[in-house]
Amino acid sequence: MSKEMNPFYDPSLKKRHLKDKLFKYFTISSLSISLIFLAIFLGDMIIKGSSAIQQTYIQVEVSYNEKSKKSYRKAVERKYINLLSRAALREIPMKMKNNPSLMGTKKLVWMLADDQVDMYMKEYYYKIKSRDLKTLKALIGDSRVEKKFNTIFFTHGDSKTPEYSGILSAMVGTILTLIVAMAVAFPIGVATAVYLEEFSSHGKWSQFLEVNINNLAAIPSILFGLLGLAIFINLFGFPRSSALVGGLTLALMTLPIIVVSSRAALRSVPASIRQAGYGLGLTKVQVVKDHVLPLAFPGIMTGSIIGLAQAMGETAPLIIVGMIAFIPDSPSSIMDAATVMPAQIFTWAGMPERAYIERTAAGILVLLTVLISLNALAVILRKKFEVKW
Amino acid sequence: MKKNTKINVKDLNLWYGEKQALHNLDVKLYENKITALIGPSGCGKSTFLRCLNRMNDLVDSAKIEGNVIIDGKNIYDKDVDEVSVRKRVGMVFQQPNPFPKSIYENIAYAPLKHGIVKKGSECDDLVEESLHGAGIWDEVKDSLKEPATGLSGGQQQRICIARTIAVKPDIILMDEPTSALDPISTEKIEALMLELKKKYTIVTVTHNMQQAARIADMTAFFHLGKLIEYDETETIFVNPKEKKTEDYITGRFG
Ligand SMILES: Nc1ncnc2c1ncn2[C@@H]1O[C@H](COP(=O)(O)OP(=O)(O)OP(=O)(O)O)[C@@H](O)[C@H]1O
Ligand SMILES: [Mg+2]
């Protein structure tokens, strides 16, 4: 249409549209780049970790008798010994002790295979003596070798034999540590935020506090580890490597995140709500507790869960307070020595056996699953408690 | 017109930081009357209103000198607690600001906390009485459990008035209570104010000259933090003594 016909004709229109488009493509390509990186990382982990979902088992005859009670090496035929998991074999005498009726019987049992056999079955690089390999091939021919769902990974702690190691004790350690961290950081953080937002006089003093809280959030996490070591272990004498010390250390780190996000949540509560309350002759405590905090709650929860998720992935400070120990059994209290998932992943990543690499990836997948669930929980909570105006 | 002094303001000065917002105010507000505060934007009407129930205590930078004597007691005396002042001097704001809770909870929360009523039928009665008093009972009696924020602006404002009278104050302060409302809602609130003044002393801020003329017994004209003229509404509108007042109400400035 010509200039005369169109009263809305704008000569700069083309240029403007081009600019809009360029800007849009720029933002889209940045988004794509981050998505691609995420996809590569996840894909790599899934490929490496997915094989850990299954574990190889071999069907052998186990004889339960006096000899095998003394030495597990006598429990199965000698030629099978090298194909089976040491750790699983070692449990046979224990099993007999717990179940005396087994004595004198022979049974066909699916026994956990050695990690090298597992690698062979998964077509990775393996190291098996030729004699053992012959036996194994014969067993495969008889369909006595099978890959089954790897329950051990989810029901056991760390082990010196890779096929017998699992993420459970690290998971329990992480849960205990996070419970301690939240139990300490949440109430203190929220109370601090309430003081700063609702009670302090917004003067020099609160500005000084604010700057310092922001500084705290920026301190490298390893320094918190050193602080935890100095205070909780050396000064207070709490047990080293325990979830208690780890949790307290993480609480120090999470605190500023909770304070900052809670303050933002409190500030977003409209001033008119406070005025309404004060105008009715309510006290500060009544206004804050019953009207302001409930409205700020979704924001406070979101911030705290994000802080929690961050604390969960934290490794450096926990290594310093000793939470990287070899923990085969799940800790049963916050005083027991424990390790956490990222530290477990770190340990496995440093192991030479191929089977541990698989577990490293699987561990990362578990960690990510929990992280994503936590973040999803944050979104759900926010949606659920959000007040409609 | 028979006049009993309810609020006696003596030599009131207020500063926000360095800036003085109210200058030497001396004014007597009368019982069971509606007093309208008028004046151009920024002249200190809201500030003055907030002095009457110590809401300015919440503003960190505000500094107040002078006396506000209600029923013979200066509310700025050391032995007076601002919270108990606000229980007797209620406030309704420009924007309706119900709590994002149910209608019932909006009305009942403060009386329960103040111990005016106990939970149960006593409280139910007060809620009904207050909603009646605010002329909104018939509209909401079937939806007391519904959120108050779901109502129309005019209804919300009447919920806020009901909430205020549920605390059983003597004085109700209103800061432009109808400026966010449509004409029909405004009319309802005005009728309500005329009803309420039988029991309460009302001080209201308005930018609407007709509204002041319609409902106010007394009118105070403020300019730049000073009280220029204060008299019976009719005198102010028909026969103002000050040139400034006349200019303002005839719309020559403001
Ligand atoms: N919290 C505050 N801090 C600093 N200055 C303020 C504050 N509140 C009001 N003022 C200043 O005090 C003066 C009077 O304000 P006030 O709100 O009382 O005016 P008003 O007459 O109510 O105006 P309007 O009709 O626009 O509501 C204005 O100059 C305003 O900028
Ligand atoms: Mg105002």
Side-chain angles (χ1 to χ4, degrees):
Chain A
M1 223 183 268
S2 74
K3 273 181 216 181
E4 294 73 33
M5 297 281 290
N6 180 0
F8 301 107
Y9 178 78
D10 177 355
S12 69
L13 196 64
K14 263 201 183 132
K15 219 169 136 190
R16 221 173 62 209
H17 276 181
L18 186 69
K19 268 190 184 161
D20 283 0
K21 251 191 204 146
L22 279 178
F23 187 63
K24 195 174 119 192
Y25 289 144
F26 172 71
T27 52
I28 289 180
S29 50
S30 327
L31 179 68
S32 326
I33 289 174
S34 38
L35 282 183
I36 288 169
F37 276 125
L38 191 67
I40 291 176
F41 174 69
L42 275 181
D44 186 43
M45 286 305 129
I46 289 172
I47 291 167
K48 285 206 185 109
S50 58
S51 58
I53 291 176
Q54 293 192 311
Q55 193 69 31
T56 308
Y57 286 78
I58 301 176
Q59 196 182 38
V60 290
E61 196 179 48
V62 179
S63 29
Y64 302 100
N65 51 35
E66 282 302 334
K67 269 188 197 159
S68 59
K69 196 172 179 181
K70 280 202 193 87
S71 158
Y72 63 84
R73 301 182 131 267
K74 300 276 152 54
V76 295
E77 258 185 86
R78 195 178 182 145
K79 59 178 177 183
Y80 297 145
I81 284 288
N82 287 338
L83 296 176
L84 296 173
S85 163
R86 251 335 119 70
L89 283 171
R90 234 176 261 142
E91 292 214 322
I92 291 176
M94 181 68 91
K95 226 167 154 187
M96 294 172 71
K97 207 185 267 173
N98 290 340
N99 188 359
S101 66
L102 282 173
M103 185 58 90
T105 59
K106 280 186 181 186
K107 267 188 187 165
L108 269 181
V109 178
W110 284 101
M111 291 281 295
L112 184 65
D114 187 66
D115 63 316
Q116 294 300 340
V117 173
D118 190 50
M119 290 296 107
Y120 174 80
M121 292 300 289
K122 288 172 182 166
E123 297 172 6
Y124 289 126
Y125 173 79
Y126 60 91
K127 223 167 73 189
I128 304 180
K129 280 186 200 138
S130 57
R131 194 161 37 120
D132 294 331
L133 196 58
K134 229 194 244 158
T135 322
L136 179 61
K137 281 182 177 157
L139 280 169
I140 295 173
D142 293 346
S143 322
R144 285 171 63 188
V145 182
E146 245 178 46
K147 284 194 276 183
K148 294 175 187 272
F149 180 72
N150 188 359
T151 46
I152 289 177
F153 184 69
F154 298 102
T155 54
H156 282 73
D158 202 3
S159 166
K160 293 290 182 210
T161 43
E163 71 276 5
Y164 213 64
S165 60
I167 194 84
L168 181 72
S169 62
M171 232 147 101
V172 174
T174 288
I175 291 170
L176 289 178
T177 310
L178 290 185
I179 288 176
V180 172
M182 273 300 128
V184 174
F186 185 76
I188 296 181
V190 174
T192 307
V194 167
Y195 170 77
L196 288 174
E197 273 310 303
E198 307 291 333
F199 289 94
S200 83
S201 59
H202 294 276
K204 287 252 153 51
W205 165 238
S206 79
Q207 241 170 34
F208 172 77
L209 284 180
E210 181 163 1
V211 168
N212 278 295
I213 287 167
N214 291 342
N215 280 342
L216 213 57
I219 287 176
S221 59
I222 196 146
L223 297 186
F224 282 104
L226 291 171
L227 186 69
L229 180 66
I231 295 180
F232 303 128
I233 296 179
N234 292 344
L235 193 65
F236 292 172
F238 291 154
R240 216 184 138 75
S241 307
S242 65
L244 177 65
V245 170
L248 289 173
T249 308
L250 289 186
L252 288 178
M253 292 189 48
T254 325
L255 205 53
I257 300 174
I258 295 182
V259 173
V260 169
S261 61
S262 301
R263 284 190 72 183
L266 288 168
R267 221 172 303 150
S268 72
V269 175
S272 65
I273 293 295
R274 296 183 181 82
Q275 284 179 349
Y278 292 127
L280 290 169
L282 299 179
T283 62
K284 198 150 208 166
V285 175
Q286 288 164 345
V287 170
V288 171
K289 190 166 80 43
D290 292 343
H291 297 289
V292 176
L293 268 181
L295 289 178
F297 190 69
I300 293 177
M301 281 313 281
T302 317
S304 305
I305 291 174
I306 287 170
L308 184 77
Q310 215 176 78
M312 194 178 127
E314 207 49 71
T315 328
L318 297 182
I319 290 179
I320 294 209
V321 297
M323 291 196 77
I324 190 137
F326 172 72
I327 310 288
D329 296 314
S330 299
S332 54
S333 84
I334 55 171
M335 301 303 251
D336 289 350
T339 189
V340 289
M341 285 202 278
Q344 183 68 73
I345 290 165
F346 178 74
T347 316
W348 283 341
M351 294 292 205
E353 289 95 334
R354 181 66 183 70
Y356 280 120
I357 297 178
E358 193 178 77
R359 275 167 175 68
T360 308
I364 290 173
L365 285 180
V366 172
L367 183 70
L368 285 180
T369 311
V370 180
L371 271 180
I372 291 169
S373 320
L374 273 181
N375 284 330
L377 183 70
V379 174
I380 291 169
L381 274 178
R382 190 171 52 209
K383 281 270 175 307
K384 183 150 182 246
F385 289 105
E386 214 163 42
V387 181
K388 306 276 181 305
W389 296 91
Chain B
M1 190 158 57
K2 192 173 159 282
K3 293 181 265 194
N4 290 328
T5 302
K6 181 76 179 174
I7 309 174
N8 190 355
V9 179
K10 278 188 178 164
D11 199 23
L12 186 70
N13 287 284
L14 183 141
W15 291 262
Y16 288 122
E18 297 295 302
K19 195 177 136 227
Q20 188 162 7
L22 297 178
H23 300 262
N24 308 331
L25 300 185
D26 275 292
V27 57
K28 287 189 171 80
L29 305 171
Y30 303 115
E31 195 161 23
N32 299 109
K33 299 274 180 278
I34 297 178
T35 304
L37 311 179
I38 60 170
S41 190
C43 68
K45 305 179 295 290
S46 300
T47 301
F48 173 66
L49 202 66
R50 286 199 301 267
C51 286
L52 303 182
N53 70 342
R54 292 189 56 175
M55 285 291 270
N56 278 326
D57 290 19
L58 301 171
V59 181
D60 290 333
S61 64
K63 193 175 85 126
I64 300 165
E65 271 175 17
N67 297 334
V68 174
I69 298 160
I70 297 179
D71 291 337
K73 178 70 181 170
N74 178 17
I75 60 169
Y76 286 96
D77 275 350
K78 284 234 157 52
D79 60 345
V80 177
D81 176 51
E82 76 272 15
V83 171
S84 39
V85 170
R86 292 184 204 131
K87 284 183 199 172
R88 294 196 45 208
V89 188
M91 193 160 199
V92 176
F93 300 85
Q94 178 173 5
Q95 288 292 336
N97 56 353
F99 299 124
K101 297 178 188 268
S102 73
I103 294 172
Y104 185 95
E105 284 173 286
N106 261 281
I107 314 291
Y109 179 84
L112 284 173
K113 286 286 163 181
H114 296 337
I116 296 173
V117 289
K118 284 199 201 65
K119 255 200 175 109
S121 65
E122 202 184 351
C123 182
D124 298 347
D125 291 346
L126 178 70
V127 169
E128 179 172 346
E129 178 194 318
S130 308
L131 289 169
H132 265 303
I136 193 174
W137 170 251
D138 291 330
E139 287 159 72
V140 299
K141 63 170 184 271
D142 298 322
S143 51
L144 294 178
K145 294 266 180 304
E146 305 290 313
T149 38
L151 299 171
S152 77
Q155 289 173 323
Q156 289 188 16
Q157 193 64 301
R158 279 180 287 152
I159 293 290
C160 293
I161 294 174
R163 179 175 71 181
T164 304
I165 59 184
V167 181
K168 302 198 181 296
D170 299 345
I171 301 165
I172 300 177
L173 310 176
M174 299 185 170
D175 195 346
E176 303 185 45
T178 61
S179 70
L181 306 181
D182 63 285
I184 293 175
S185 303
T186 302
E187 210 180 293
K188 282 190 184 149
I189 302 251
E190 284 181 12
L192 177 61
M193 288 167 79
L194 290 172
E195 191 58 34
L196 289 175
K197 78 168 184 178
K198 292 175 191 160
K199 283 171 79 179
Y200 309 96
T201 301
I202 297 178
V203 186
T204 181
V205 173
T206 181
H207 273 287
N208 182 332
M209 292 307 112
Q210 283 86 25
Q211 183 172 70
R214 276 196 301 267
I215 61 169
D217 301 294
M218 303 293 294
T219 297
F221 172 61
F222 284 77
H223 184 51
L224 297 176
K226 295 191 177 86
L227 180 64
I228 305 297
E229 194 169 350
Y230 174 57
D231 213 323
E232 291 185 11
T233 301
E234 219 175 285
T235 317
I236 293 277
F237 278 89
V238 179
N239 195 9
K241 293 187 188 63
E242 299 287 330
K243 176 87 173 46
K244 268 214 184 94
T245 314
E246 190 182 345
D247 287 351
Y248 181 72
I249 58 175
T250 52
R252 255 175 292 213
F253 85 98

